[in-house]
Amino acid sequence: MCSVVDTVKIYVECTSTLFYHHHLNTGIQRLVRTILKSLYLFSSFQSKRLSVEPVAAFNGCFYTLKESALSDCSQPHYRDIHPYASLFRKVLKSFLPASLISSLRNFFAWRRFFQKFSSAHTSPPTVRFNKGDVLFLLDAGWELSSLRSAVAAAKKQGALVGFCLCDLSPLKLPQYANEQTPTKFRQWFADMTQLADFCVSISRSVKREAQTYAQHDLGKKASCFQHIASFTVNVDLDIPNSDCTIRDHLKALYRSDTSPYLAVSTLEPRKNYEMLLDAFDSLWSTRHDVVLVIVGSVGWNCKSLLKRIKNHPLFDRRLFLFHDLTDAELAYCYQHSRALISPSFYEGLGLPPIEALHYRLPVIVSDIPVYRETVSGYGPFFNPSSSASLLRAISRFEKNRTYWLMKAAKFRWITSEQSYSDLIDKISYFRRKLHTD
């Protein structure tokens, strides 16, 4: 538990998830909502020593977010998205300059923020930081054009600044990133190098990668990476409403004689779905009872992948694709599938294998550092660059399925209290150390 004596005031920035990507609940958005909810829960038991307030950054300032209004924003709002919104965005991008599109995104994010948190046409109060306060940048800050000026102003007022590092994929694998993300991420990373006092990563793997990158590419400029720690994220696994309806089509799929293999992640190149399909095409050539269910929102650079799936001769017979499952339906898939397959080239944490094991579903995962850290011993590994390696891993799983089911049943992940006690301890430690240096 926290060992600090004085009150720690932590402002947690969560702008991108709540106001730019409020309709999404995958990857970093799911992570931000989980951390934010648990930080509130932890803070309620530590009120005399700990004060946690979520904030949003707009126009070079930070604004406080009331908890009563925040509860509405902390859930993904699928209903806010018009069915043709994605097509409309693509049309706009085809003839509007990027700077104008960015301005429009900022306007609509500000409009949503103002509608949710203002009263009598008055904006929520801006944050006035005091010496010893901590500003913890939790969200995807590289998407916010005004974040740098807001952070610089907070530091000028006396705040210590830390940031959460989820992964380094735009730096390590820029060829798989979306559009301008590598450029934006590189600039944000350079800003954090100059402005941040400390860093907390979501896995030991990411911590090691950041330290290596800082040592070889940033040199003495990377003082924040001299104060870096990692913590284990608690994943929001339990379904809040047990009465949620499971669509009939999904139930019928799982009534088949052979339980399906499951793949869960956004459809984008880094997730390596093309290789997964190559492996299953080989399986389907010899075994006609194999079923694969893919669950994931449509990401970027996946037009050819979607075409391949939807034009596949076994689509909607042995190959299924879902973009819009609820959390309850995703849990249903975890509970009734044969195994989860995650062929990703790179992850900072990788939520689906942890979620699958929570539901006692064995995993077959790519041999990457973070999976060695989080799920080693709970399923076969394979080379993500080789469909033959995946096929051998599936074969090993099938030969020893009873053993892997037994192993999955013993999986335990860190509790919410343990996870966020650890996070607050790390932030509090850096606060004490840096505040006295």
Side-chain angles (χ1 to χ4, degrees), residues 2 124 187 290 333 342 430:
C2 293
Q187 182 59 56
V290 176
C333 291
S342 180
F430 287 131

Side-chain angles (χ1 to χ4, degrees), residues 308-371:
R308 178 179 178 180
I309 293 173
K310 293 181 178 179
N311 291 338
H312 198 285
L314 295 179
F315 184 59
D316 272 347
R317 290 193 294 141
R318 296 293 178 186
L319 172 62
F320 298 87
L321 175 64
F322 295 94
H323 299 307
D324 58 348
L325 295 192
T326 64
D327 280 1
E329 288 174 324
L330 177 58
Y332 185 87
C333 291
Y334 283 138
Q335 291 167 330
H336 296 87
S337 293
R338 192 169 191 81
L340 175 85
I341 301 178
S342 180
S344 181
F345 286 117
Y346 174 87
E347 296 289 342
L349 179 64
L351 298 178
I354 298 170
E355 293 176 337
L357 286 166
H358 172 77
Y359 290 106
R360 301 185 176 186
L361 178 66
V363 297
I364 304 170
V365 296
S366 55
D367 194 354
I368 57 177
V370 75
Y371 286 164

Side-chain angles (χ1 to χ4, degrees), residues 156-415:
K156 191 174 182 180
Q157 293 171 16
L160 291 170
V161 176
F163 70 103
C164 182
L165 187 60
C166 293
D167 65 63
L168 291 173
S169 59
L171 296 178
K172 292 176 67 69
L173 298 168
Q175 69 272 27
Y176 296 143
N178 181 24
E179 299 177 7
Q180 301 299 316
T181 298
T183 301
K184 291 179 180 179
F185 188 91
R186 196 174 295 109
Q187 182 59 56
W188 168 81
F189 202 74
D191 290 342
M192 292 301 98
T193 298
Q194 296 176 7
L195 294 172
D197 300 294
F198 67 92
C199 172
V200 181
S201 68
I202 62 171
S203 67
R204 294 191 302 275
S205 299
V206 172
K207 176 186 173 182
R208 288 191 296 268
E209 290 168 0
Q211 289 173 317
T212 301
Y213 181 84
Q215 181 180 357
H216 292 103
D217 295 86
L218 300 178
K220 294 181 180 179
K221 296 184 296 181
S223 59
C224 65
F225 294 111
Q226 297 174 17
H227 303 103
I228 183 171
S230 64
F231 83 110
T232 304
V233 178
N234 177 65
V235 184
D236 192 9
L237 298 165
D238 295 319
I239 304 304
N241 184 359
S242 59
D243 297 326
C244 291
T245 301
I246 309 299
R247 66 192 74 181
D248 292 337
H249 178 52
L250 191 63
K251 286 184 177 179
L253 166 61
Y254 278 90
R255 291 194 192 106
S256 62
D257 295 336
T258 304
S259 54
Y261 288 98
L262 177 67
V264 179
S265 65
T266 302
L267 302 185
E268 50 112 334
R270 179 167 56 90
K271 304 301 183 177
N272 201 17
Y273 275 115
E274 294 283 3
M275 189 278 286
L276 177 66
L277 290 176
D278 289 344
F280 270 79
D281 278 339
S282 296
L283 277 177
W284 284 317
S285 67
T286 57
R287 292 180 54 191
H288 303 293
D289 60 339
V290 176
V291 178
L292 174 63
V293 174
I294 297 174
V295 177
S297 58
V298 176
W300 50 91
N301 300 336
C302 62
K303 185 176 180 180
S304 61
L305 172 64
L306 285 171
K307 184 177 180 180
R308 178 179 178 180
I309 293 173
K310 293 181 178 179
N311 291 338
H312 198 285
L314 295 179
F315 184 59
D316 272 347
R317 290 193 294 141
R318 296 293 178 186
L319 172 62
F320 298 87
L321 175 64
F322 295 94
H323 299 307
D324 58 348
L325 295 192
T326 64
D327 280 1
E329 288 174 324
L330 177 58
Y332 185 87
C333 291
Y334 283 138
Q335 291 167 330
H336 296 87
S337 293
R338 192 169 191 81
L340 175 85
I341 301 178
S342 180
S344 181
F345 286 117
Y346 174 87
E347 296 289 342
L349 179 64
L351 298 178
I354 298 170
E355 293 176 337
L357 286 166
H358 172 77
Y359 290 106
R360 301 185 176 186
L361 178 66
V363 297
I364 304 170
V365 296
S366 55
D367 194 354
I368 57 177
V370 75
Y371 286 164
R372 288 288 180 181
E373 176 184 335
T374 57
V375 298
S376 183
Y378 293 97
F381 286 91
F382 61 90
N383 180 350
S385 298
S386 169
S387 60
S389 179
L390 173 54
L391 288 171
R392 288 192 295 270
I394 292 173
S395 177
R396 293 197 305 273
F397 167 76
E398 291 295 346
K399 289 178 181 177
N400 299 283
R401 184 164 177 257
T402 301
Y403 169 78
W404 292 120
L405 286 167
M406 179 188 68
K407 291 287 289 184
K410 296 179 179 180
F411 179 80
R412 297 293 182 272
W413 194 243
I414 193 169
T415 67

Side-chain angles (χ1 to χ4, degrees), residues 102-140:
S102 177
S103 297
L104 288 172
R105 289 180 73 248
N106 292 337
F107 169 77
F108 285 111
W110 169 256
R111 181 172 176 267
R112 174 174 169 77
F113 165 73
F114 196 88
Q115 289 175 335
K116 293 291 182 182
F117 293 97
S118 63
S119 57
H121 304 289
T122 302
S123 298
T126 57
V127 177
R128 174 68 188 181
F129 294 93
N130 295 310
K131 189 174 182 179
D133 289 346
V134 178
L135 171 62
F136 189 61
L137 306 171
L138 175 62
D139 217 336

